[in-house]
C-alpha cells in the first residue's frame, strides 16, 4: 500500500471511529509505529485537524467533515446483501433504520454502481424454512439505551407464563441467536444479570436517569453462568 492510500484509509478510519492508537494503526497496515507518527503529521500538515488525546490515541476535531467516500461494486454488493439479511430480522425498528441508512449511503453511489446494485437487489434471494418467531419493535431504542447508559423499565412475559412482571434494568449488551434478539441487562429485581428476549418485552420505557457502566463482559458472564441443557421429561 502506498503512503497516499494509507493516509486516505487512516483519515476514513479516524472519521468513522472515535479514537485510534498508533499501535492499532501500525498493526492494521503492517508498518512501524514511527511510520504512523509520520502519517499523522502529514495529515496535520495537510490541514486535517487530528487531535492527540494523551494516553489514548488520535481523534478528529468535532464537526470536521471529509468528502463522501466512493464505493466499489463489491462494497455496494456487500451492503445490498446485508440489507437482505437484515430484512430477515424479527425486529421492525432495525429493518426500518437500516433501510433509511442504506438510502443515504446509496445517494453517494456512482450511477453505474447504483444501477448494478439495483440489479443485484432483484436477483438476490434468502430463504428461511424455520417457523417465524414473534416480531419486536424495540431493538433500535434499546441500542440507544445501552450506549447512553439509560435505565429502562419493562413489562416482561416469560415463555409459557401468562403473568407479566415489571422490571427496572440496566441494559448492557445485545446478542442474537436462532433469529432471536436477546437483551443482557442488570435486573434490579433479581440483583443480577438476566437475559431478556426482546420479543417477549410487552412494553418498555427508556428513562432519562443514567447508571454507571458495570463493564459487562459476555465471556465472563458465561464463564460464571455455564449453559446447562434442560433435561427432557419422560
Amino acid at each position: 500500500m502506498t503512503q497516499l492510500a494509507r493516509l486516505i484509509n487512516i483519515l476514513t478510519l479516524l472519521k468513522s471511529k472515535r479514537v485510534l492508537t498508533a499501535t492499532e494503526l501500525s498493526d492494521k497496515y503492517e508498518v512501524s509505529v514511527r511510520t504512523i507518527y509520520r502519517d499523522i503529521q502529514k495529515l496535520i500538515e495537510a490541514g486535517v485537524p487530528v487531535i492527540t488525546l494523551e494516553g489514548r490515541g488520535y481523534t478528529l476535531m468535532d464537526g470536521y467533515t471529509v468528502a463522501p467516500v466512493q464505493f466499489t461494486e463489491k462494497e455496494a454488493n456487500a451492503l445490498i446483501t446485508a440489507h437482505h439479511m437484515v430484512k430477515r430480522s424479527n425486529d421492525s425498528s432495525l429493518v426500518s433504520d437500516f433501510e433509511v441508512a442504506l438510502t443515504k449511503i446509496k445517494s453517494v453511489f456512482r450511477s453505474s454502481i447504483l444501477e448494478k446494485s439495483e440489479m443485484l437487489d432483484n436477483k438476490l434471494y434468502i430463504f428461511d424454512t424455520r417457523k417465524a418467531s414473534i416480531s419486536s419493535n424495540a431493538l433500535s431504542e434499546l441500542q440507544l439505551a445501552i450506549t447512553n447508559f439509560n435505565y429502562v423499565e419493562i413489562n416482561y412475559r416469560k415463555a409459557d407464563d401468562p403473568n407479566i412482571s415489571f422490571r427496572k434494568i440496566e441494559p448492557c449488551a445485545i446478542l442474537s441467536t436462532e433469529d432471536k434478539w436477546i437483551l443482557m441487562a442488570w435486573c434490579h429485581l433479581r440483583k443480577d444479570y438476566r437475559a431478556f428476549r426482546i420479543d417477549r418485552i410487552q412494553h418498555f420505557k427508556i428513562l432519562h436517569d443514567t447508571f454507571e457502566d458495570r463493564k459487562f463482559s459476555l465471556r465472563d458472564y458465561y464463564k460464571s453462568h455455564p449453559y446447562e441443557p434442560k433435561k427432557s421429561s419422560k
Side-chain angles (χ1 to χ4, degrees), residues 30-193:
E30 298 180 346
V31 295
S32 67
V33 171
R34 186 177 295 277
T35 297
I36 295 299
Y37 290 156
R38 288 197 292 266
D39 288 344
I40 294 297
Q41 187 58 39
K42 284 279 187 183
L43 289 174
I44 294 173
E45 291 172 358
V48 178
V50 180
I51 298 173
T52 302
L53 301 178
E54 193 66 33
R56 294 181 59 194
Y58 302 109
T59 188
L60 288 179
M61 181 184 296
D62 286 342
Y64 178 74
T65 59
V66 296
V69 296
Q70 292 295 326
F71 290 87
T72 66
E73 185 177 350
K74 289 197 298 183
E75 290 168 344
N77 289 347
L79 288 167
I80 296 301
T81 304
H83 183 211
H84 278 256
M85 297 178 72
V86 167
K87 285 193 292 187
R88 292 176 53 205
S89 169
N90 292 314
D91 189 274
S92 57
S93 66
L94 175 66
V95 175
S96 176
D97 287 337
F98 188 90
E99 289 178 346
V100 171
L102 184 59
T103 298
K104 293 178 180 179
I105 293 171
K106 289 169 72 173
S107 69
V108 302
F109 283 1
R110 296 195 306 273
S111 57
S112 60
I113 298 295
L114 180 60
E115 182 180 351
K116 291 182 178 180
S117 70
E118 290 176 346
M119 181 190 302
L120 178 66
D121 196 21
N122 294 321
K123 294 178 179 291
L124 187 61
Y125 307 92
I126 297 178
F127 295 101
D128 189 353
T129 58
R130 287 174 290 186
K131 295 181 180 179
S133 301
I134 302 172
S135 62
S136 62
N137 187 30
L139 184 60
S140 292
E141 293 294 328
L142 292 173
Q143 288 173 334
L144 291 178
I146 288 174
T147 57
N148 291 284
F149 304 104
N150 291 109
Y151 286 107
V152 179
E153 293 177 343
I154 63 173
N155 291 329
Y156 189 73
R157 184 179 65 82
K158 295 181 179 179
D160 303 320
D161 186 350
N163 299 312
I164 296 176
S165 63
F166 173 81
R167 311 286 184 97
K168 183 177 180 180
I169 60 174
E170 300 174 14
C172 53
I174 289 175
L175 59 100
S176 177
T177 176
E178 297 179 350
D179 286 343
K180 298 179 182 67
W181 291 103
I182 310 296
L183 174 67
M184 300 300 301
W186 176 268
C187 177
H188 283 253
L189 178 64
R190 302 303 183 193
K191 306 297 183 186
D192 197 0
Y193 288 109

Side-chain angles (χ1 to χ4, degrees), residues 186-225:
W186 176 268
C187 177
H188 283 253
L189 178 64
R190 302 303 183 193
K191 306 297 183 186
D192 197 0
Y193 288 109
R194 287 291 186 270
F196 300 96
R197 267 183 54 176
I198 292 180
D199 58 11
R200 295 195 182 282
I201 297 176
Q202 306 296 301
H203 176 75
F204 71 95
K205 180 181 179 181
I206 298 177
L207 306 181
H208 293 296
D209 295 340
T210 59
F211 56 87
E212 291 293 326
D213 185 5
R214 294 178 184 268
K215 308 296 183 183
F216 173 80
S217 166
L218 191 62
R219 179 179 297 179
D220 292 342
Y221 174 81
Y222 278 112
K223 281 182 178 178
S224 59
H225 299 74

